[in-house]
Amino acid sequence: TERKKLHTAPVRQIFRLRPFHVLVATGGGYVGYRKYEDYRLEELEKRGIEVPVKLASEWEVALYKSVPTRLLSRAWGRLNQVELPTWLRKPVYSLYIWTFGVNMKEAAVEDLHHYRNLSEFFRRKLKPQARPVCCLHSVISPSDGKILNFGQVKNCEVEQVKGVTYSLESFLGPRVNTEELRFRQASPGNSFQQQLVTKEGNELYHCVIYLAPGDYHCFHSPTDWRVSHRRHFPGSLMSVNPGVARWIKELFCHNERVVLTGDWKHGFFSLTAVGATNVGSIRIYFDQDLHTNSPSYSKGSYNDFSFISNNNKEGIPMRKGEHLGEFNLGSTIVLIFEAPKDFNFHLKAGQKIRFGEALGSL
């Protein structure tokens, strides 16, 4: 009896004092299982087999959220800043290039020894001729990536992938002050979607672009517009790959994101950069006050910043193709904008696209 007590007491103590480790291990194992499921679904889709949508339950989402992805992303961000010895740079970057299919011939500097750390390598610039900006179409792709979904916004909901939606108001947050955005006066009975449309006869459109780790990590202005407001939502940093986007409803509303809103020649225009696992930072070049992935935040909170001031009545003007910001690794960009009814997308769901190529036009 004494021996049993001697052997079992430490076990009880471990489970009593370290439940966090058990939770993380369980959550990490489940995420690994989901990654395998994502891979299996992608293989089925390649064969042309349609996969039915199966959404995660509340406990599955809670289990996924138990994994400390924010902490891991901050650790990854710090690791990216560590300067690598010159002899180690080529093997490390070559492994990344081989794993994710990076085309270094497009890089402004092809010599791998030039990049002192992973962060510099991820943020590498491209040769000017590598991404010609299309001048014939009104909206271009702001980044390299994969088209997950596009089309008209209907019933105040947006599709993140086919068959899985999220609330437009939950994603963008409450309507911004009418003094900053040129909205028409909202009627009490108007829906959130109707309040965003400024001109009679216009519709609200959306486009979702997924940036894989091997894609070009910077994003640019998709059209000529002015940015008048920034809204930052702290949140989770779950993976945003197509498999997870198909599995978790309102995934983009759970994750940290930066919403830039303003207007273009046809009315309301917004670009949202959505954070993801290992995306330790979302950077907007003209916004020095923005700090993402902080150690703590209040659930459901957000903070606003206006670019309209007494000295600057017009906000931040952006030209089509101009540098706008960057991700630390890879993530998702969501465009939601107003346009006339004859606006047409020149896209196919699932297609690969590069920065500068046409999204759509009138």
Side-chain angles (χ1 to χ4, degrees):
T1 304
E2 291 300 320
R3 284 183 180 177
K4 286 183 180 179
K5 288 181 181 178
L6 190 64
H7 288 293
T8 58
V11 174
R12 291 173 186 168
Q13 188 176 16
I14 289 172
F15 279 93
R16 185 171 62 251
L17 297 180
R18 300 181 181 179
F20 174 75
H21 296 165
V22 176
L23 190 61
V24 169
T26 306
Y30 191 76
V31 170
Y33 166 74
R34 287 305 314 175
K35 290 288 186 183
Y36 167 74
E37 285 292 301
D38 295 342
Y39 171 76
R40 190 174 64 84
L41 291 176
E42 286 179 6
E43 290 300 311
L44 291 175
E45 286 184 347
K46 288 178 182 178
R47 298 175 191 172
I49 302 173
E50 188 172 346
V51 182
V53 174
K54 183 181 179 182
L55 295 177
S57 62
E58 290 185 9
W59 73 265
E60 287 178 310
V61 175
L63 186 59
Y64 191 175
K65 283 187 173 182
S66 71
V67 180
T69 52
R70 293 178 64 84
L71 177 62
L72 293 172
S73 297
R74 285 195 297 275
W76 175 253
R78 291 184 180 180
L79 179 64
N80 289 347
Q81 300 294 333
V82 175
E83 184 170 344
L84 297 176
T86 305
W87 61 269
L88 189 59
R89 294 174 189 176
K90 189 170 182 178
V92 170
Y93 301 147
S94 296
L95 177 62
Y96 185 91
I97 291 167
W98 176 79
T99 303
F100 296 107
V102 178
N103 184 4
M104 283 302 293
K105 292 183 178 180
E106 297 177 334
V109 180
E110 297 184 37
D111 182 11
L112 297 180
H113 296 101
H114 169 79
Y115 303 101
R116 294 174 297 176
N117 52 45
L118 285 166
S119 181
E120 286 188 2
F121 177 72
F122 293 147
R123 294 183 288 106
R124 63 192 177 277
K125 302 301 180 184
L126 299 181
K127 295 173 182 175
Q129 66 274 19
R131 296 290 186 277
V133 175
C134 178
C135 299
L136 301 177
H137 298 273
S138 54
V139 183
I140 62 168
S141 176
S143 66
D144 290 4
K146 179 181 180 180
I147 301 295
L148 293 189
N149 217 302
F150 63 92
Q152 283 189 18
V153 177
K154 297 180 180 179
N155 302 320
C156 296
E157 289 195 334
V158 185
E159 280 194 321
Q160 59 189 30
V161 294
K162 185 178 180 180
V164 182
T165 62
Y166 55 93
S167 163
L168 179 64
E169 186 169 6
S170 297
F171 182 68
L172 295 178
R175 200 170 66 119
V176 179
N177 192 330
T178 55
E179 294 178 1
E180 297 180 21
L181 299 178
R182 295 161 184 161
F183 293 137
R184 65 182 175 185
Q185 191 65 31
S187 300
N190 283 357
S191 66
F192 183 80
Q193 178 178 336
Q194 292 170 330
Q195 292 174 19
L196 295 181
V197 178
T198 65
K199 299 177 182 179
E200 292 289 342
N202 280 3
E203 298 287 348
L204 209 60
Y205 297 86
H206 73 96
C207 182
V208 183
I209 305 170
Y210 167 67
L211 288 75
D215 288 325
Y216 172 53
H217 286 52
C218 297
F219 51 93
H220 301 246
S221 176
T223 191
D224 295 335
W225 64 308
R226 67 155 195 154
V227 183
S228 55
H229 188 271
R230 178 259 290 162
R231 176 168 285 160
H232 172 215
F233 291 86
S236 302
L237 287 175
M238 294 184 283
S239 172
V240 293
N241 74 51
V244 177
R246 188 186 296 108
W247 179 54
I248 297 180
K249 184 177 175 62
E250 298 202 332
L251 171 65
F252 299 154
C253 297
H254 288 294
N255 272 16
E256 183 161 16
R257 60 197 182 278
V258 177
V259 182
L260 300 178
T261 52
D263 55 84
W264 68 319
K265 60 183 179 180
H266 299 296
F268 173 79
F269 199 96
S270 73
L271 180 149
T272 301
V274 183
T277 306
N278 287 341
V279 182
S281 63
I282 301 171
R283 183 182 173 194
I284 305 298
Y285 293 138
F286 56 75
D287 189 356
Q288 301 302 317
D289 296 321
L290 175 64
H291 300 286
T292 58
N293 197 10
S294 301
S296 61
Y297 70 96
S298 299
K299 185 178 180 180
S301 66
Y302 62 86
N303 57 77
D304 289 339
F305 185 85
S306 174
F307 298 108
I308 303 293
S309 65
N310 293 330
N311 297 327
N312 181 17
K313 296 288 186 181
E314 293 300 316
I316 309 295
M318 296 297 301
R319 303 293 297 174
K320 184 165 66 174
E322 185 177 352
H323 278 84
L324 182 55
E326 63 188 40
F327 290 111
N328 187 50
L329 186 57
S331 193
T332 298
I333 289 178
V334 180
L335 301 179
I336 299 174
F337 57 92
E338 173 186 359
K341 291 183 178 180
D342 57 350
F343 182 87
N344 292 310
F345 284 102
H346 306 285
L347 302 171
K348 292 181 180 179
Q351 78 171 70
K352 292 288 290 182
I353 198 165
R354 304 203 304 176
F355 155 61
E357 294 180 346
L359 288 183
S361 62
L362 298 170

